[in-house]
Amino acid sequence: MPGLIHVKELWQDQAALDAHFASAHIAAWRAAWPGLGIGERDLRVYEVGAPRKT
């Protein structure tokens, strides 16, 4: 799909993610969306287990 961007991030815990979303730089980023042509977002959170050897 043209213009689709996938962003993947790893957060230590929910509290760290919540702090990130409440930060000033994220508020500024969200405020810039209309001027950048960014419309909807589809945020999904996945729980990931501990890494293991294959």
Side-chain angles (χ1 to χ4, degrees):
M1 172 182 285
L4 178 64
I5 298 172
H6 287 272
V7 177
K8 294 169 180 68
E9 299 178 319
L10 178 62
W11 295 94
Q12 185 68 32
D13 54 29
Q14 186 64 47
L17 180 59
D18 293 344
H20 172 69
F21 284 146
S23 67
H25 78 279
I26 292 300
W29 165 237
R30 287 181 178 154
W33 288 1
L36 298 170
I38 296 174
E40 65 183 80
R41 80 176 190 179
D42 182 6
L43 177 65
R44 297 174 189 203
V45 176
Y46 296 90
E47 296 287 331
V48 177
R52 62 179 174 84
K53 293 187 176 185
T54 57

